[in-house]
Amino acid sequence: MAAKPTTPVAYPLDPMFSEGQKVAVTADDMATGGSITLFGDSLSSKPGPTVRPGVSLTVMDGDLQPGGWMYLVRTDEGLKGWVSEKRLRLKF
């Protein structure tokens, strides 16, 4: 008897960052001054505050979306918003 083909199981990607971790935003080469717009939701459908590249952020939460991980972050000044994992790096 031939073995039945199995459907591959897609496991969620592990998040790169965790709650409480310090990160910095990377520059957007397409934007004036490289600033990044944070989003008001994890679906990137509502624009939020703009932050400069290199600004220190604290990860508050994460949400796996079809395009990858999105993180709720807070600036030292208290601004909050969601940003793509691709736009973040560890703050040393």
Side-chain angles (χ1 to χ4, degrees):
M1 178 176 215
K4 286 194 212 176
T6 58
T7 305
V9 177
Y11 294 102
L13 302 170
D14 289 333
M16 191 179 294
F17 306 107
S18 58
E19 288 179 39
Q21 209 166 17
K22 287 287 192 181
V23 294
V25 70
T26 60
D28 181 351
D29 297 333
M30 304 301 286
T32 305
S35 293
I36 299 293
T37 298
L38 301 179
F39 294 98
D41 63 3
S42 64
L43 300 173
S44 305
S45 64
K46 299 176 187 171
T50 301
V51 294
R52 296 179 325 278
V55 165
S56 180
L57 304 166
T58 302
V59 175
M60 299 175 63
D61 198 2
D63 188 26
L64 183 59
Q65 293 294 321
W69 281 96
M70 294 290 290
Y71 293 91
L72 178 61
V73 294
R74 183 185 68 232
T75 67
D76 291 341
E77 293 79 29
L79 297 176
K80 293 180 188 176
W82 291 86
V83 64
S84 167
E85 182 174 80
K86 296 178 271 198
R87 287 279 172 213
L88 297 175
R89 64 177 170 78
L90 275 178
K91 183 85 173 177
F92 295 104

